[in-house]
């Protein structure tokens, strides 16, 4: 088994779609970013790459590259998963915390979990999506923060089950 951790934060601004875990959430503001700004998928990609010792999202999908301007972050996830597969690894457990004072995300947790399970090819039971506010700390005012921890299996783990 290997463990990986990912963190990301993006600012909310008017005139952008709000995409979290690949799910479009109706809200008058969205996240600033070179891509679609999906802070959750960015944290998940960094957790996966970290577990595999394969660097970070900025290295593989630079925000200076025109190829990734306006890109769906699900593309980054697909490519990160491919890199893991090539290294003989696969995610077996994922735990996410999203921190935002607004919008309230409780009602979207189930949809995000389902979408992550589909994209990652994992059972929903092995994925957790938690949502918190920062309780009036300036931390998440006008921003969304995501943290992800992933457990990754190596082929030798599968034989041990
Ligand atoms: Mg990011």
């Amino acid at each position: 088994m290997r463990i990986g951790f990912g963190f990301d934060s993006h600012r909310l601004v008017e005139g952008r779609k709000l995409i979290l875990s690949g799910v479009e959430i109706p809200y008058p503001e969205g996240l600033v970013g070179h891509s679609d700004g999906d802070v959750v998928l960015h944290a998940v990609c960094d957790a996966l790459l970290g577990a595999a010792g394969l660097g970070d999202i900025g290295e593989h999908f630079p925000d200076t590259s025109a190829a990734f301007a306006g890109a769906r972050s699900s593309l980054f996830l697909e490519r990160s998963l491919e890199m893991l597969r090539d290294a003989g690894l696969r995610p077996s457990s994922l735990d996410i915390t999203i921190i935002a004072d607004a919008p309230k995300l409780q009602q979207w947790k189930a949809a995000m979990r389902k979408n992550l399970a589909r994209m990652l090819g994992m059972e929903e039971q092995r994925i957790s999506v938690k949502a918190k506010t920062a309780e009036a700390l300036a931390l998440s005012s006008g921003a969304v923060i995501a943290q992800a921890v992933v457990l990754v299996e190596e082929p030798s783990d599968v034989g041990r089950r």
Side-chain angles (χ1 to χ4, degrees), residues 8-10 39 42:
D8 200 19
S9 57
H10 283 247
V39 68
H42 295 180

PDB file of all heavy atoms in Angstrom, residues 8-10 39 42, ligand 1:
ATOM      1  N   ASP A   8      -5.519  21.790  -2.646  1.00  0.00           N
ATOM      2  CA  ASP A   8      -5.613  22.868  -3.633  1.00  0.00           C
ATOM      3  C   ASP A   8      -6.604  23.919  -3.159  1.00  0.00           C
ATOM      4  O   ASP A   8      -7.465  23.633  -2.301  1.00  0.00           O
ATOM      5  CB  ASP A   8      -6.038  22.326  -5.001  1.00  0.00           C
ATOM      6  CG  ASP A   8      -5.684  23.294  -6.133  1.00  0.00           C
ATOM      7  OD1 ASP A   8      -4.818  24.170  -5.936  1.00  0.00           O
ATOM      8  OD2 ASP A   8      -6.282  23.171  -7.216  1.00  0.00           O
ATOM      9  N   SER A   9      -6.463  25.131  -3.688  1.00  0.00           N
ATOM     10  CA  SER A   9      -7.402  26.208  -3.371  1.00  0.00           C
ATOM     11  C   SER A   9      -7.561  27.101  -4.596  1.00  0.00           C
ATOM     12  O   SER A   9      -6.590  27.326  -5.333  1.00  0.00           O
ATOM     13  CB  SER A   9      -6.884  27.031  -2.188  1.00  0.00           C
ATOM     14  OG  SER A   9      -5.601  27.555  -2.466  1.00  0.00           O
ATOM     15  N   HIS A  10      -8.787  27.540  -4.820  1.00  0.00           N
ATOM     16  CA  HIS A  10      -9.066  28.468  -5.920  1.00  0.00           C
ATOM     17  C   HIS A  10     -10.047  29.530  -5.445  1.00  0.00           C
ATOM     18  O   HIS A  10     -10.918  29.250  -4.623  1.00  0.00           O
ATOM     19  CB  HIS A  10      -9.691  27.735  -7.119  1.00  0.00           C
ATOM     20  CG  HIS A  10      -8.715  26.959  -7.935  1.00  0.00           C
ATOM     21  ND1 HIS A  10      -8.385  27.285  -9.234  1.00  0.00           N
ATOM     22  CD2 HIS A  10      -7.992  25.849  -7.642  1.00  0.00           C
ATOM     23  CE1 HIS A  10      -7.495  26.423  -9.698  1.00  0.00           C
ATOM     24  NE2 HIS A  10      -7.245  25.529  -8.749  1.00  0.00           N
ATOM     25  N   VAL A  39     -11.192  22.428  -8.104  1.00  0.00           N
ATOM     26  CA  VAL A  39     -10.242  22.325  -7.006  1.00  0.00           C
ATOM     27  C   VAL A  39     -10.205  20.907  -6.404  1.00  0.00           C
ATOM     28  O   VAL A  39      -9.153  20.442  -5.949  1.00  0.00           O
ATOM     29  CB  VAL A  39     -10.607  23.408  -5.957  1.00  0.00           C
ATOM     30  CG1 VAL A  39     -11.935  23.094  -5.291  1.00  0.00           C
ATOM     31  CG2 VAL A  39      -9.539  23.633  -4.937  1.00  0.00           C
ATOM     32  N   HIS A  42      -8.254  18.609  -8.734  1.00  0.00           N
ATOM     33  CA  HIS A  42      -6.824  18.953  -8.662  1.00  0.00           C
ATOM     34  C   HIS A  42      -6.190  18.327  -7.411  1.00  0.00           C
ATOM     35  O   HIS A  42      -5.088  17.779  -7.474  1.00  0.00           O
ATOM     36  CB  HIS A  42      -6.620  20.475  -8.636  1.00  0.00           C
ATOM     37  CG  HIS A  42      -7.068  21.152  -9.902  1.00  0.00           C
ATOM     38  ND1 HIS A  42      -6.987  22.500 -10.096  1.00  0.00           N
ATOM     39  CD2 HIS A  42      -7.611  20.629 -11.038  1.00  0.00           C
ATOM     40  CE1 HIS A  42      -7.453  22.798 -11.306  1.00  0.00           C
ATOM     41  NE2 HIS A  42      -7.850  21.675 -11.886  1.00  0.00           N
TER      42      HIS A  42
HETATM   43 MG1  LIG B   1      -5.716  23.958  -8.980  1.00  0.00          MG
END
